[in-house]
Amino acid sequence: MERTHMSAFALYQTLQTELPLPTKKRSLQVSAKKKKRKENGVAITKATSKVSPKAEKNKKRKRPIKSTQRGESLNKVTEQEDLSVNGDGEALDALLADLTKVNNSRQRASKLFQWLIHPIPAKTFFRETWEKKPILVKRQNPDYYKGLFSTEEFDRILRHEDVQYGVNLDVTSYTNGKRETHNPPGRALPFTVWDFYESGCSLRMLNPQAFSSTVWNVLSILQEQFGSMAGANVYLTPPGTQGFAPHYDDIEAFVIQLEGKKHWRVYKPRTEDEVLPVLSSPNFSQTEIGKSILDVVLEAGDLLYFPRGFIHQGDCLSDKHSLHITVSSYQKNSWGDLLTKVIPSALEIAMEEDVEYRQGLPLDYLTYMGVQNSDKDDPRREKFFSRIGSLMQKLGSYAPVDAAVDQKAKDFLHDCLPPMLTPEEVATSVQGAPTRWEDGQVLNVGEHINSETRVRLMRAGCARLCSDGEGVHLFHTTDNSRVYHKEELKSFEIKTEHTDAVEFLIHSYPRFVTVESFPCDSEEDRIALAELLFEKGIIHTAEPL
């Protein structure tokens, strides 16, 4: 009996496996030579380049899944202003090499972010665009982001890394208004993954920084720019298909087109409640989202930014695949998120210290307060609300704001990627210490830090002192995993007599300071603290030991 081949996608449909949709995380941006224009109030920056992309011929294949949602034609945009700014920028590999020579990690982050959004000045971006409106940069330079990620690297990762469906990779489709996830259980191997792709499914790699050293490097630098986790997803979409339904996210998204083309439509938040939302939305139907304010095709080298709450959808053109990476940040990083930590603590302190918060409620308050009594015209209600308002206003004086900020900082440090060390940093850190086994014996075990050794933090934001009221701990990122929250938050207790010295080190960055300059009681204490921080990878020396 002849056996008929069944594709992975067809097999999936036959099995009708129902798996839960994974939580989505989202992305970030990039830019160019400058011509500004506006479409429906959305700023568009056009970049010109000496590099002219050649159209590649693609074999047309029949696929079972094709998106039928692309009914709208692209609008032509009229140029309104020519700013004639060179947007060709530095190649990524050269830029990252140059950044290793920048002494201050915060300046390094600022320079990398400026390169991402070039030619838009960062100050202008944060003043006029950030959290407010989408912006598009058309580069006409397909190689601008070359080296960040590629389809070849996607394939390499599938072949050589332990990529798991639902954890590291999603297989998705959006056809006839229906969004589906097709993840089988287990490891995602090329044989099955590329079969899904050939059947018209999109592929989403959820944490490329765990597998790509370049993505890790870029995100670990950018997290210092945002003071918030910088994450990324990679999306590979077959020609003529769409992988996701219209939706909005709870992150600031920078869509970086790496290969091919993708047609994007972006829509304003539908109501005030959806402006800068706390959570991502469910999937929307086409009838629920209104008219787009931006309708554009991204080509390799282009950048699209949109704030959280802006509905968006992207579909691939019929003549070429699309590969883009979305860099994201600012998830749960609002004033409200900070206040969720401030207010409970403030109330706890107020109840301990102020008898007014401990006084009992009126005996009969249940007879005139509550929803069932909300329409009553009762003077006791007005008095009750007045008392609540007075207590709320007074609560601010008990707010432990610095302690709450430290709680936010601890969350951020737990979210952070570990720093990717330069060769020079490796040589001057515990990772490059000369102690080793050689010729049957241990060598250089006596190479120690001394009072004259010059040291500094590994990164500006890699460590933070926090107190829980009982002790002081130093929280740090240097032992974090490249996999999100794979490890617990890293910290260790600092002796009370060493806290001034740790603060001194933190505030001295980026300068190297001698161990002798530590404000400790004795030389023994200074050296012991320096050795502890060196062993934890939190500081490095000016010269190799």
Side-chain angles (χ1 to χ4, degrees):
M1 181 175 178
E2 185 178 354
R3 183 177 178 182
T4 304
H5 171 71
M6 180 175 288
S7 71
F9 180 67
L11 179 61
Y12 174 88
Q13 288 183 312
T14 302
L15 294 174
Q16 295 182 340
T17 306
E18 293 186 4
L19 297 175
L21 294 180
T23 303
K24 293 187 289 184
K25 296 179 185 175
R26 286 249 183 314
S27 356
L28 280 156
Q29 24 180 218
V30 182
S31 68
K33 205 180 206 171
K34 211 176 179 183
K35 289 183 182 177
K36 275 194 178 175
R37 62 193 183 185
K38 287 192 176 181
E39 177 185 350
N40 297 325
V42 179
I44 300 178
T45 301
K46 184 176 180 182
T48 59
S49 169
K50 297 177 183 177
V51 182
S52 57
K54 294 182 179 179
E56 296 183 12
K57 295 182 180 179
N58 294 288
K59 296 179 181 179
K60 294 183 179 179
R61 302 182 179 91
K62 293 182 179 179
R63 289 186 172 81
I65 301 179
K66 291 266 184 176
S67 172
T68 60
Q69 300 303 315
R70 187 160 175 236
E72 301 179 27
S73 62
L74 300 180
N75 299 324
K76 293 183 179 179
V77 182
T78 304
E79 293 178 1
Q80 295 184 345
E81 186 180 0
D82 185 352
L83 301 180
S84 191
V85 175
N86 187 343
D88 286 342
E90 192 175 5
L92 179 59
D93 55 352
L95 173 69
L96 293 175
D98 288 345
L99 289 178
T100 64
K101 304 168 188 174
V102 177
N103 190 42
N104 188 327
S105 63
R106 289 199 177 101
Q107 291 179 1
R108 201 177 301 162
S110 178
K111 288 177 182 291
L112 178 58
F113 181 73
Q114 183 59 76
W115 176 83
L116 284 173
I117 64 168
H118 178 78
I120 306 166
K123 286 184 179 179
T124 302
F125 173 81
F126 284 112
R127 182 179 66 248
E128 299 178 1
T129 305
W130 177 253
E131 293 190 324
K132 296 181 180 72
K133 62 184 180 182
I135 195 165
L136 168 69
V137 176
K138 295 290 290 180
R139 290 194 183 284
Q140 298 181 7
N141 179 357
D143 293 330
Y144 193 82
Y145 299 117
K146 187 175 181 180
L148 180 55
F149 200 84
S150 66
T151 308
E152 287 73 18
E153 185 164 16
F154 202 120
D155 183 70
R156 178 195 66 76
I157 291 169
L158 291 175
R159 293 181 181 281
H160 301 292
E161 304 286 354
D162 182 18
V163 178
Q164 294 287 320
Y165 287 110
V167 177
N168 313 114
L169 185 76
D170 283 332
V171 179
T172 70
S173 65
Y174 178 69
T175 308
N176 298 324
K178 186 178 181 181
R179 158 77 165 85
E180 293 183 279
T181 299
H182 309 288
N183 294 339
R187 182 177 171 183
L189 292 167
F191 179 83
T192 307
V193 171
W194 293 124
D195 196 357
F196 274 124
Y197 175 85
E198 283 294 294
S199 297
C201 292
S202 290
L203 307 176
R204 174 173 64 181
M205 185 168 287
L206 295 168
N207 53 342
Q209 62 270 24
F211 308 110
S212 165
S213 59
T214 302
V215 176
W216 167 29
N217 193 9
V218 167
L219 296 181
S220 69
I221 295 172
L222 284 176
Q223 65 194 8
E224 287 204 62
Q225 171 71 18
F226 296 111
S228 177
M229 174 189 169
N233 291 335
V234 168
Y235 299 83
L236 179 60
T237 309
T241 70
Q242 181 168 340
F244 295 87
H247 65 280
Y248 62 72
D249 297 310
D250 60 348
I251 47 84
E252 302 299 298
F254 298 82
V255 178
I256 300 167
Q257 191 70 25
L258 300 173
E259 296 174 9
K261 302 176 183 179
K262 199 161 200 178
H263 169 221
W264 284 89
R265 283 165 286 174
V266 182
Y267 309 77
K268 283 184 178 180
R270 301 175 303 171
T271 65
E272 283 296 316
D273 292 344
E274 293 181 357
V275 174
L276 304 179
V278 175
L279 300 172
S280 296
S281 73
N283 295 326
F284 295 123
S285 68
Q286 300 294 333
T287 59
E288 293 178 291
I289 57 180
K291 184 179 180 181
S292 64
I293 59 168
L294 183 62
D295 190 325
V296 68
V297 172
L298 285 192
E299 299 179 272
D302 293 347
L303 164 73
L304 173 63
Y305 160 80
F306 45 81
R308 53 197 190 274
F310 278 74
I311 298 169
H312 52 278
Q313 60 178 321
D315 58 278
C316 195
L317 302 182
S318 60
D319 60 338
K320 193 168 179 60
H321 77 277
S322 168
L323 179 74
H324 79 266
I325 185 169
T326 298
V327 180
S328 63
S329 193
Y330 255 57
Q331 187 179 53
K332 300 188 183 306
N333 202 42
S334 67
W335 285 102
D337 291 306
L338 176 60
L339 287 172
T340 60
K341 298 183 181 295
V342 172
I343 292 174
S345 297
L347 186 57
E348 184 178 346
I349 294 169
M351 292 188 70
E352 288 178 359
E353 298 184 2
D354 191 333
V355 67
E356 195 173 358
Y357 289 88
R358 301 195 299 270
Q359 290 173 347
L361 292 163
L363 293 173
D364 58 349
Y365 82 102
L366 294 178
T367 65
Y368 57 87
M369 297 304 300
V371 174
Q372 70 181 27
N373 301 308
S374 60
D375 293 332
K376 281 187 176 182
D377 184 12
D378 190 321
R380 293 175 299 175
R381 288 180 57 82
E382 184 176 341
K383 185 177 179 181
F384 195 93
F385 280 120
S386 177
R387 182 68 182 275
I388 290 290
S390 174
L391 291 172
M392 291 294 291
Q393 186 174 12
K394 195 176 178 182
L395 193 62
S397 62
Y398 297 102
V401 177
D402 285 327
V405 168
D406 283 342
Q407 291 296 317
K408 283 287 294 174
K410 286 160 62 176
D411 291 343
F412 170 48
L413 292 177
H414 193 198
D415 293 343
C416 274
L417 286 164
M420 182 175 177
L421 305 187
T422 67
E424 292 77 12
E425 288 170 338
V426 170
T428 57
S429 72
V430 67
Q431 294 187 26
T435 306
R436 65 192 184 279
W437 176 271
E438 188 175 299
D439 295 332
Q441 60 183 329
V442 177
L443 301 181
N444 298 320
V445 74
E447 298 292 335
H448 293 302
I449 289 173
N450 58 52
S451 294
E452 300 303 316
T453 306
R454 293 190 301 132
V455 298
R456 74 169 185 180
L457 290 184
M458 189 64 73
R459 292 287 187 276
C462 73
R464 188 177 185 93
L465 272 178
C466 298
S467 173
D468 59 5
E470 297 180 358
V472 178
H473 287 76
L474 187 66
F475 295 84
H476 61 97
T477 67
T478 52
D479 285 337
N480 281 8
S481 171
R482 288 163 64 177
V483 177
Y484 180 71
H485 285 191
K486 183 179 180 180
E487 306 285 345
E488 295 296 323
L489 177 61
K490 305 295 183 181
S491 72
F492 55 93
E493 189 168 1
I494 295 291
K495 293 179 181 178
T496 304
E497 58 269 27
H498 290 168
T499 56
D500 287 346
V502 174
E503 283 187 8
F504 170 73
L505 264 174
I506 291 171
H507 296 312
S508 295
Y509 185 89
R511 292 183 297 111
F512 283 95
V513 295
T514 62
V515 173
E516 187 178 28
S517 66
F518 287 11
C520 293
D521 293 336
S522 67
E523 181 180 4
E524 183 181 357
D525 278 351
R526 287 189 282 270
I527 292 175
L529 175 61
E531 288 182 338
L532 173 63
L533 298 177
F534 184 78
E535 289 170 6
K536 297 288 187 181
I538 294 169
I539 62 173
H540 68 116
T541 57
E543 303 292 338
L545 290 179

